[in-house]
Amino acid sequence: MQEAIILVGGKGTRLRPLTNHTPKPLLNVAGSSFIRHQIAKLMDAGVGHVVFATSYLATLFEDEFRDFSQDLDISYAVEDVPLGTGGAIRNAGRLLRGGPDDPVLILNGDILSGVDLRDLLAGHRERDAEVTLHLTRVADPRAFGLVPTDDHGRVLSFLEKPKTAEECVTDQINAGCYVFRRSVLDAIPGDREVSVEQETFPRLVARGGRVYGHTTADYWRDLGTPLAFVHGSADLITGLARSPLVGPPAEALIHPTAQVDPTARILGGSAIGAHAVVGPDVVVDRAIVGAHVTIGAGARIEESVVDHDSTIGARSVLREAVVGCHAEVGADNELPAQLRLACGIRIPAQGVRVSGTAVACPTVH
Ligand code: GDD
Ligand code: MG
């Protein structure tokens, strides 16, 4: 039986405040928690047993899958203190059931990818590799692990998050999805924190291990930042990215219980959550609107996430914003781009404006 490990123990700091109460893989993307999209993809590739390597808010994963009735065994390897990516793999490996030579799929818990996992596994077997990494090319590799390969796909080095321009020797990066021979992951030290990127991969390469790259040009995105998160969700809805859980390509995904005024325009792959209320002349463009959110008439929400139970007042404008849950933005606010609003925060009507248009004085002197 094919087995997999998903690394889901990170704190998701770049997505705060969305991740204050919810781990990144459990955030809603295109109508389902992100991890459910990953699970559906793994099941499509024939995976029958998955181990979640959890740490931050670990119990919420068990809550999410308590009633999961599909044909997949799920195990939980909980780290009381985070063990790092390598330590997490090793710790989750204790719950695997296969033999030492069996290939194990390993996924970062925030990767939206079109890679064909069966191809990845087939390439691993053909090369009799110890580790095969899915690699992709990006315009700016600095936020990733750099992985140059030779003409046969053999990995030459692994450099996590280069700091200088000279270190950026390739645009080919670690796509956060691997196949490990089980005996190789069992050999990761189990008595301390280990980074698979900073320690395990460089050491395997240095000792001449059979480490190969599987480079593809498929859709790929790491959903770890707010903008990537909203773009990933929109791409799933518009069909640029595929998930077995998302229907045919559409301009928007509106929950059947949401009330959207007929004059509102929901565009660019936006998602509107359960029981949300969207007023007249609102524009929601490439954004995620959570459950029980209310958006007043004429508001404009672009490339933003508004978390559940929040209110955006009439005519207010949000761009690349992240609004925590239970927040209240009054009417006629124009928030600076990339603003993050804490959960429960209140901004009064006309409280914030970035453009030069005159701001009315709401108090009487
Ligand atoms: N269980 C557990 N324990 N999981 C962890 C831990 C830990 O201590 N630390 C991180 N994780 C999980 C995160 O939840 C996430 O799913 C995954 O490991 C990767 O962590 P990120 O924080 O998202 O790393 P990154 O995006 O900066 O970089 C990683 O992914 C890039 C591709 O998106 C690296 O693997 C890079 O090399 C890679 O290019
Ligand atoms: Mg990431």
Side-chain angles (χ1 to χ4, degrees):
M1 186 212 315
Q2 182 60 54
E3 297 188 282
I5 295 170
I6 312 186
L7 301 177
V8 290
K11 293 197 173 101
T13 49
R14 288 168 294 175
L15 284 178
R16 284 177 187 159
L18 302 176
T19 46
N20 284 356
H21 316 289
T22 307
K24 178 166 57 174
L26 296 185
L27 292 174
N28 201 288
V29 171
S32 304
S33 64
F34 182 64
I35 200 163
R36 285 184 185 254
H37 295 289
Q38 283 191 313
I39 290 286
K41 185 175 169 82
L42 288 173
M43 289 179 73
D44 267 7
V47 170
H49 177 214
V50 65
V51 183
F52 291 149
T54 63
S55 177
Y56 177 63
L57 300 174
T59 56
L60 298 185
F61 289 91
E62 297 186 39
D63 293 346
E64 170 87 6
F65 287 99
R66 189 154 289 128
D67 301 325
F68 192 73
S69 57
Q70 295 174 47
D71 198 12
L72 176 76
D73 283 348
I74 300 178
S75 308
Y76 301 89
V78 184
E79 298 151 44
D80 296 332
V81 286
L83 294 172
T85 45
I89 292 171
R90 152 77 202 232
N91 187 53
R94 294 180 297 114
L95 301 180
L96 295 171
R97 298 164 188 162
D101 292 332
D102 284 341
V104 182
L105 268 169
I106 301 178
L107 295 185
N108 284 354
D110 59 354
I111 297 304
L112 179 58
S113 161
V115 69
D116 185 327
L117 295 174
R118 289 183 194 267
D119 277 358
L120 183 71
L121 283 161
H124 179 82
R125 285 201 185 87
E126 275 160 27
R127 286 159 154 169
D128 192 27
E130 292 180 278
V131 175
T132 302
L133 296 91
H134 176 218
L135 306 178
T136 189
R137 294 185 191 282
V138 293
D140 180 359
R142 285 174 300 176
F144 303 104
L146 299 196
V147 192
T149 47
D150 70 12
D151 293 345
H152 306 286
R154 195 147 180 167
V155 172
L156 297 171
S157 62
F158 191 108
L159 178 64
E160 181 69 4
K161 311 224 166 85
K163 300 212 169 31
T164 63
E166 295 76 55
E167 285 179 329
C168 289
V169 292
T170 177
D171 60 354
Q172 186 171 263
I173 60 134
N174 168 25
C177 169
Y178 325 115
V179 186
F180 266 68
R181 188 187 291 169
R182 180 168 178 186
S183 57
V184 175
L185 74 83
D186 284 340
I188 297 173
D191 53 354
R192 59 181 168 84
E193 192 181 327
V194 178
S195 158
V196 79
E197 297 89 353
Q198 285 169 17
E199 185 175 333
T200 311
F201 291 141
R203 285 194 183 172
L204 276 169
V205 173
R207 76 147 163 79
R210 297 183 62 79
V211 182
Y212 283 89
H214 176 86
T215 308
T216 73
D218 300 305
Y219 178 95
W220 184 86
R221 207 187 277 281
D222 173 324
L223 302 193
T225 63
L227 208 53
F229 186 73
V230 289
H231 288 181
S233 178
D235 291 347
L236 279 166
I237 293 167
T238 57
L240 201 59
R242 298 293 307 146
S243 162
L245 303 186
V246 180
E251 190 70 16
L253 183 66
I254 299 172
H255 194 277
T257 59
Q259 294 172 44
V260 177
D261 188 274
T263 60
R265 288 185 297 146
I266 317 295
L267 312 167
S270 294
I272 308 289
H275 306 287
V277 178
V278 180
D281 301 317
V282 166
V283 177
V284 179
D285 194 358
R286 226 181 176 194
I288 301 175
V289 172
H292 299 276
V293 166
T294 300
I295 303 182
R300 192 172 180 99
I301 319 284
E302 293 173 9
E303 298 185 281
S304 300
V305 189
V306 183
D307 210 357
H308 62 91
D309 296 286
S310 289
T311 303
I312 308 298
R315 298 170 300 283
S316 281
V317 178
L318 273 63
R319 288 195 186 93
E320 297 183 26
V322 181
V323 179
C325 61
H326 300 276
E328 266 182 61
V329 176
D332 298 299
N333 281 290
E334 186 193 358
L335 301 184
Q338 300 180 0
L339 198 72
R340 293 176 192 226
L341 295 185
C343 304
I345 206 96
R346 300 183 69 170
I347 298 185
Q350 303 180 9
V352 182
R353 186 145 210 109
V354 277
S355 65
T357 18
V359 180
C361 186
T363 48
V364 178
H365 296 281

